[in-house]
């Protein structure tokens, strides 16, 4: 590898590895690449190359370069070559700095270290002849090159000074030549050029950071030159020639420098930002903002260079020699000054636009549309405030940049390729985004038009008119319009896709419904194929410069046109199958999303025009029906009042007419032809007017009829009693009919109300409340009167009499009277009490009837009889008896009956009869169970069971024992049965004696009829006379006991009847009960005592 054996190379390796902390393997990798070693080899072999730069790149590792690296922000290592004294060797100097400061560091190193070393007299005297001067020139050129590169990297224009300014010998020669040209004498009154020359004379010139020794040397040289001016006559001819040669060289160098400066500055000043747009680039406003800021920065940099000491030296040299380039330098300065004024003005006035655009870029895209006017207003203010920017060319460029910015934001907002890719999934959200972008960009154009119009108004109104925008708008929106057209095409694709997607679930009806539906589905499936092909496009549809999408789009639109033709044929056939206008209108609504297509609008109207004739035919049929059915519309509405039925039928016809008209309006815009529309509208108006007249007539007749009916009802009585005692609301049916008609009147509206009707309507709520109260009262009264039992009627006789008196008062009142609810309240109270009492009576009946199904005797499973009656059954019977007593006491309270009254006693007797019947059924059920169980023909399993045992002492025995036979068992069982029945207490104690006497008389009659002798089975004769005699004696004793009780009861009853203050109703009921008792006593053969007979005669005569 070339140069690797050099000791200097080893030193460089050590410096690089230490500086970058480089792994040895990385350094070996660097050495293995020849391309990377080229700069290193040149530095090692070329003595004129003074600097070598090393830096790291993230991807490619260590790099080497002979020039300062640009765009490097990391550390840079600069290895510099410094020649030793007397060319005895060279010194390598290392310096580390940031990549951005490489050029600045190189310039500083040359200016502060290398050049001062080479320019020192004591050092240069030790060098070979001319070596120091050549090295100094080389370093100056290198410094100048580095400054140029540094300025270029920073985007600035560096004006390199003449190399001759850095050579003291040339400056001295220039001033000597100048002195000789002026006679070797300096005059104080010479012109300003000499002053300018003196001001920038070599005595006052110096390089940055020169040491004192350099200054002393130059002072000495100046003194020597002053001495030469004073003694100019003593110079020889050779020195004069040498001085002239140096002066000419310096002047020529300054002139070349001015030419170079003019070229550099002119090239910069001629840079035009609008050229980017003319070159078909699409910059954004931020680039122009940066351009003007950098331009101002560079102009200020150039201005500072033109005002530097080096520039003043050049100016003084040119002015002293009266060179033509002195004027060129002055023109250059004026041009730069004018450029600074222009750039400052533009930067200052562009700042509000930049701030507004920065705010807009931070917003959500949905907010942009509302801020377009503010953006264009700032552009308007820029046009009116700036002295240099109010040029059509510059304004067109800025507006194009703003359009480019919003195009960029729009494309960033939209999902790029997915704009078309979503067609196969869910195009709806993307379509909304596309529409938003279109609306936003259109808002930008509208804001531009508003500002343009405002400028024109200002141009006309103001004394000093503002120049309006004379440029054409299509120049501004050239790229924006192209982008908008692309977005409109994308929107059209999405809309068409959504329209065709609606065909998926569409089902047609009619004669050929299946065939037509299949045709629609075939079109839909074919469309899906086209959508998939379009969505598979790999290009970005939002890029207007990409024409690949246009090719896909043209193919898609051609296929869609073919599908639309097929769909039109299906729709035309479906319209032909429609038999009425509503069906056709419904079909049109189903395809409404599709009817705005141009192809459909061209082919479909002939089919729709035939529907107009059907519309006119429907209107004609409506008119015929009106004339034929207007006298009998009630048959269509049987459950409504006649007038309401007529109005409802009229409303139905009108609704049908309006429906027909709505159906026509659905297709009106598609049919074409104003004549058809006017004819249909005129015909429908005629029918509507006809129906309106009929409705007004019906309302007038209805109003008069209601007035008459309301007058009759308002004066009608409230209730009426029909024989024998049925109560009902008077005029109930008429009242209900009027209330129903008034409900329809309120619903219908527009019916005139006359006085009686208005009076009835105002009192309607009170009348309804009165009717409801009366209806409830009548129902309750009829239930009280119609549902009584014989034993209950005497108990409620007094309450019924009071109710009749109240009802007689109600018969005198009308429907507008007050206090009806208070008077009906008494009926409700009586009804509530009696209803509860009757409910209790029903409960007592159910209890008594429930005993019929109660089994006192039960088997254990399907065989043997259980021992006795269960305690649970006895407790239930006892609880029933207690409930019967409680319910009778509750009913006594509800009836408000006196416990000692005869009416209450008879009521208790009625209840007692119900209870006795239930108990008899209970006993019969138990006895039938025993007889059925002992009957050999009907019995099933055994009733009783015993076990036979053999004992040593007793022999054969039964367990349980049967010595007494089954008689005792049956007696015990029957005692239990009667004992269970005895658990129920007697409800009526007054009837106990009467009942027992009747029973004893019946038993006595049966006993007396028994035979005296009975022959059993033909072999046993039984004499029954002792038995019958004893039994009759027992019956007689019981009979005497009960007859004595009845006589005492008769005595008490007669005393109660004959009391003067006795109630007539109670006396009559007591009399009837007393007669029954006396008849019973006579049947028993008991004669009344004379005093009782006399009292009875008196009672019966009353």
């Amino acid at each position: 590898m070339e140069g690797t054996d050099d000791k200097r190379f080893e030193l460089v390796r050590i410096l690089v590895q230490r500086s970058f902390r480089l792994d040895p393997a990385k350094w070996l990798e660097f050495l293995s690449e020849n391309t990377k070693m080229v700069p290193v080899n040149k530095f090692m072999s070329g003595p004129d190359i003074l600097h070598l730069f090393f830096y790291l790149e993230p991807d490619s590792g260590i790099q080497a370069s002979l020039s300062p690296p640009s765009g490097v922000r990391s550390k840079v290592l600069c290895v510099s070559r410094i020649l030793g004294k007397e060319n005895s060797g060279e010194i390598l100097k290392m310096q580390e700095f940031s990549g951005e400061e490489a050029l600045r560091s190189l310039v500083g190193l040359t200016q502060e270290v290398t050049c001062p070393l080479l320019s020192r007299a004591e050092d240069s005297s030790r060098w070979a002849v001319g070596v120091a001067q050549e090295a100094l020139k080389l370093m100056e050129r290198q410094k100048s090159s580095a400054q140029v590169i540094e300025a270029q990297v920073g985007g600035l224009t560096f004006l390199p000074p003449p190399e001759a300014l850095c050579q003291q010998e040339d400056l001295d020669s220039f001033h000597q030549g100048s002195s000789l040209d002026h006679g070797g004498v300096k005059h104080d009154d010479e012109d300003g050029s000499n002053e300018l020359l003196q001001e920038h004379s070599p005595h006052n010139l110096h390089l940055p950071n020169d040491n004192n020794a350099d200054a002393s040397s130059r002072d000495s040289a100046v003194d020597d030159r002053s001495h030469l001016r004073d003694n100019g006559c003593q110079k020889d001819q050779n020195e004069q020639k040498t001085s002239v040669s140096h002066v000419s060289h310096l002047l020529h160098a300054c002139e070349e420098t001015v030419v170079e400066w003019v070229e550099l500055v002119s090239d910069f000043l001629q840079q035009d930002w609008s050229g980017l747009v003319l070159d078909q680039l699409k910059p954004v406003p931020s680039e122009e903002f940066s351009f003007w800021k950098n331009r101002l920065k560079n102009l200020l940099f150039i201005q500072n260079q033109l005002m530097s000491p080096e520039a003043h030296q050049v100016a003084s040299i040119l002015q002293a020699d009266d060179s033509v380039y002195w004027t060129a330098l002055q023109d250059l300065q004026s041009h730069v000054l004018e450029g600074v004024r222009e750039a400052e003005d533009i930067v200052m006035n562009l700042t509000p636009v930049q701030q507004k655009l920065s705010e807009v870029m931070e917003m959500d895209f949905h907010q942009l549309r509302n801020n377009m006017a503010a953006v264009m207003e700032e552009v308007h203010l820029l046009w009116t405030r700036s002295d240099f920017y109010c040029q059509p060319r510059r304004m067109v460029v800025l507006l194009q940049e703003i359009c480019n910015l919003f195009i960029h934001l729009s494309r960033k907002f939209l999902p790029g390729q997915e704009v078309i890719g979503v067609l196969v999934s869910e195009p709806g959200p993307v379509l909304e985004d596309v529409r938003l972008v279109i609306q936003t960009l259109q808002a930008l154009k509208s804001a531009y038009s508003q500002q343009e119009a405002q400028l024109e108004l200002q141009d006309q109104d103001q004394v000093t008119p503002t120049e309006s925008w004379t440029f054409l708008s299509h120049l501004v929106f050239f790229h924006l319009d192209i982008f908008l057209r692309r977005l409109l095409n994308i929107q059209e694709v999405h809309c068409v896709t959504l329209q065709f997607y609606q065909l998926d679930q569409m089902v047609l009806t009619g004669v050929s419904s299946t065939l037509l539906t299949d045709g629609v589905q075939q079109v839909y499936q074919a469309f899906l194929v086209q959508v998939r092909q379009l969505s598979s496009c790999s290009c970005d549809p939002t890029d207007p410069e990409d024409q690949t999408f246009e090719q896909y789009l043209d193919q898609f639109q051609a296929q869609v046109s073919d599908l639309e033709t097929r769909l039109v044929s299906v729709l035309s056939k479906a319209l032909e199958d429609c038999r009425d206008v509503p069906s056709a209108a419904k079909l049109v609504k189903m395809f409404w999303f599709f009817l705005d297509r141009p192809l459909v609008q061209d082919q479909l109207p002939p089919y729709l025009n035939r529907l107009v004739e059907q519309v006119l035919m429907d209107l004609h049929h409506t008119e015929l029906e009106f004339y034929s059915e207007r006298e009998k519309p009630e048959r269509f509405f049987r459950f409504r009042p006649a007038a309401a039925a007529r109005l409802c039928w009229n409303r139905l016809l009108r609704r049908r007419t309006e429906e027909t008209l709505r159906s026509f309006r659905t297709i009106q815009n598609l049919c074409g032809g104003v004549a058809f529309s006017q004819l249909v509208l005129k015909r429908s108006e005629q029918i509507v007017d006809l129906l309106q007249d009929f409705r007004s007539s019906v309302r007038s007749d209805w109003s008069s009829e209601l007035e008459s009916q309301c007058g009759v009802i308002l004066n009608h009585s409230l209730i009426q009693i029909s024989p024998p005692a049925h109560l009902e609301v008077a005029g109930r049916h008429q009242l209900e009919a009027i209330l129903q008609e008034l409900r329809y009147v309120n619903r219908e509206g527009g019916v005139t109300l006359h006085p009686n009707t208005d009076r009835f309507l105002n009192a309607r709520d009170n009348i309804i409340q009165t009717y409801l109260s009366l209806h409830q009262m009548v129902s309750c009264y009829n239930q009280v009167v119609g549902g009584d039992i014989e034993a209950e009627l005497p108990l409620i006789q007094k309450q019924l009499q009071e109710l009749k008196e109240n009802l007689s008062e109600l018969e005198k009142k009308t429907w507008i009277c007050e206090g009806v609810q208070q008077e009906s309240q008494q009926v409700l109270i009586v009804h509530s009490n009696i209803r509860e009492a009757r409910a209790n009576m029903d409960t007592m009946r159910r209890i008594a009837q429930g005993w019929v199904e109660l089994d006192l005797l039960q088997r254990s499973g399907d065989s043997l009889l259980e021992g006795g009656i269960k305690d649970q059954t006895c407790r239930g019977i006892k609880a029933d008896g207690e409930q019967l007593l409680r319910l009778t006491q509750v009913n006594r309270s509800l009836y408000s009956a006196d416990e000692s009254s005869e009416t209450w006693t008879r009521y208790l007797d009625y209840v007692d009869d119900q209870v006795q019947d239930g108990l008899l059924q209970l006993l019969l059920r138990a006895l039938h169970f025993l007889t059925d169980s002992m009957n050999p023909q009907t019995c099933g399993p055994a009733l009783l069971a015993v076990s036979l045992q053999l004992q040593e002492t007793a022999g054969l025995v039964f367990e349980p024992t049967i010595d007494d036979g089954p008689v005792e068992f049956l007696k015990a069982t029957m005692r239990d049965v009667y004992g269970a029945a005895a658990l129920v207490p007697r409800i009526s104690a007054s009837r106990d004696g009467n009942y027992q006497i009747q029973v004893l008389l019946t038993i006595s009659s049966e006993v007396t009829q028994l035979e005296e002798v009975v022959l059993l089975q033909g072999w046993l004769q039984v004499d029954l006379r002792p038995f019958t005699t004893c039994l009759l004696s027992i019956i007689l004793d019981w009979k005497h006991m009960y007859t004595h009780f009845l006589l005492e009861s008769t005595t008490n009853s007669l005393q109660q009847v004959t009391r003067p203050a006795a109630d007539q109703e109670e006396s009559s009921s007591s009399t009837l009960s007393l007669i029954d008792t006396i008849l019973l006593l006579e049947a028993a053969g008991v004669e009344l005592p004379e005093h009782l007979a006399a009292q009875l005669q008196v009672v019966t005569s009353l």
Side-chain angles (χ1 to χ4, degrees), residues 460-512:
Q460 297 174 2
D461 298 340
Q462 295 180 358
V463 178
T464 303
T466 302
E467 185 179 358
S468 60
W469 291 341
T470 58
F471 46 85
L472 300 177
S473 61
H474 73 86
L475 298 176
V476 174
F477 300 112
F478 177 76
H479 296 294
L480 185 68
D481 290 339
I482 295 176
F483 184 67
L484 269 176
R485 283 194 295 270
R486 175 61 64 86
L487 291 181
L488 291 173
N489 289 334
I490 295 175
Q491 175 181 276
E492 176 68 15
V493 171
H494 279 266
C495 292
V496 170
T497 302
L498 290 177
Q499 290 173 354
F500 273 87
Y501 276 173
Q502 298 183 46
L503 301 176
D504 184 20
Q505 304 297 329
M506 185 171 294
V507 178
L508 302 180
T509 59
V511 179
S512 306

Side-chain angles (χ1 to χ4, degrees), residues 721-740:
I721 301 177
S722 302
H726 182 73
L727 184 66
E728 62 181 10
V729 180
R732 177 172 62 89
H733 299 291
Q734 294 85 345
L735 178 63
E736 292 177 351
I738 291 178
L739 290 174
Q740 182 186 21

Side-chain angles (χ1 to χ4, degrees), residues 473-692:
S473 61
H474 73 86
L475 298 176
V476 174
F477 300 112
F478 177 76
H479 296 294
L480 185 68
D481 290 339
I482 295 176
F483 184 67
L484 269 176
R485 283 194 295 270
R486 175 61 64 86
L487 291 181
L488 291 173
N489 289 334
I490 295 175
Q491 175 181 276
E492 176 68 15
V493 171
H494 279 266
C495 292
V496 170
T497 302
L498 290 177
Q499 290 173 354
F500 273 87
Y501 276 173
Q502 298 183 46
L503 301 176
D504 184 20
Q505 304 297 329
M506 185 171 294
V507 178
L508 302 180
T509 59
V511 179
S512 306
S513 59
T514 304
L515 181 61
L516 296 177
T517 303
D518 292 342
V520 172
Q521 293 304 314
Q522 291 175 3
V523 172
Y524 173 70
Q525 295 299 329
F527 178 77
L528 290 181
V529 174
Q530 300 302 322
V531 169
R532 294 190 187 98
Q533 293 179 356
L534 180 63
S535 61
S536 63
C537 175
S538 59
C539 62
D540 184 2
T542 61
D543 185 5
E545 296 182 357
D546 190 351
Q547 298 300 318
T548 306
F549 177 73
E550 295 292 337
Q551 299 175 3
Y552 282 92
L553 184 61
D554 293 340
Q555 182 180 359
F556 176 78
Q557 290 176 346
Q559 295 297 328
V560 168
S561 299
D562 180 65
L563 295 177
E564 288 177 351
T565 303
R566 293 168 56 184
L567 197 58
V568 168
S569 63
V570 174
L571 180 57
S572 303
K573 178 60 178 175
L575 288 174
E576 291 178 354
D577 294 343
C578 292
R579 298 182 178 180
D580 53 15
V581 177
S583 299
K586 182 179 179 181
L587 182 64
V588 170
K589 289 181 180 179
M590 290 176 61
F591 286 90
W592 189 257
F593 63 91
F594 179 69
L595 299 180
D596 60 343
R597 308 294 299 171
L599 184 62
V600 179
Q601 293 180 353
D602 292 339
Q603 299 183 13
L604 201 59
Y607 298 95
L608 296 176
N609 290 335
R610 290 198 294 267
L611 296 178
V612 179
E613 300 178 359
Q614 185 65 33
V615 170
L616 296 174
M617 185 62 66
D618 289 349
L619 294 175
H620 180 66
H621 288 165
T622 302
E623 184 179 15
L624 292 179
E625 181 180 351
F626 170 77
Y627 283 113
S628 61
E629 303 290 341
R630 63 178 176 178
E631 299 300 331
K632 47 182 178 181
E634 295 86 354
R635 65 187 183 90
F636 298 105
F637 307 95
R638 297 180 180 178
F639 302 103
R640 298 186 181 185
R646 287 185 173 89
L647 292 176
C648 188
W649 173 74
N650 178 80
R651 191 161 46 250
L652 179 63
L653 294 181
R654 182 166 183 171
R655 189 179 298 117
R656 186 190 303 171
T657 303
E658 293 174 351
E659 180 66 23
T660 303
L661 187 59
R662 279 195 299 270
S663 300
F664 169 73
R665 286 174 177 169
T666 303
I667 61 176
Q668 179 179 0
N669 296 331
L670 303 175
C671 295
V674 181
F676 279 124
S677 300
Q678 293 179 350
L679 180 60
V680 171
L681 294 176
K682 182 178 180 180
R683 193 76 179 92
S684 61
E685 289 177 0
Q686 292 176 354
I687 297 177
V688 170
D689 294 340
L690 186 65
L691 296 175
Q692 180 65 30

Side-chain angles (χ1 to χ4, degrees), residues 900 1052-1063 1066-1067 1099 1102:
S900 60
N1052 294 332
S1053 297
L1054 286 174
Q1055 291 177 357
Q1056 184 178 4
V1057 170
T1058 56
R1059 282 184 304 178
D1063 185 44
E1066 185 178 354
S1067 298
V1099 171
L1102 294 176

Side-chain angles (χ1 to χ4, degrees), residues 700-731:
S700 178
D701 297 340
W702 195 9
S703 177
S704 301
E705 184 179 356
L706 281 175
E707 177 68 13
S708 176
Q709 294 175 353
C710 290
V712 173
I713 289 296
L714 289 175
N715 297 320
H716 204 287
S717 59
L718 294 177
I719 60 173
Q720 62 184 12
I721 301 177
S722 302
H726 182 73
L727 184 66
E728 62 181 10
V729 180

Side-chain angles (χ1 to χ4, degrees), residues 340-370:
V340 169
R341 290 182 59 252
E342 177 191 38
E344 287 178 344
D345 175 81
I346 292 176
V347 170
M348 180 184 65
N349 290 286
L350 277 178
T351 301
V353 180
Q354 181 181 8
Q355 293 175 351
K356 175 55 66 175
L357 291 177
S358 300
E359 294 176 3
V360 169
M361 293 178 66
E362 295 295 329
M363 297 179 182
D364 185 72
F365 194 88
H366 296 79
Q367 300 174 333
L368 296 185
R369 180 172 54 180
N370 298 328

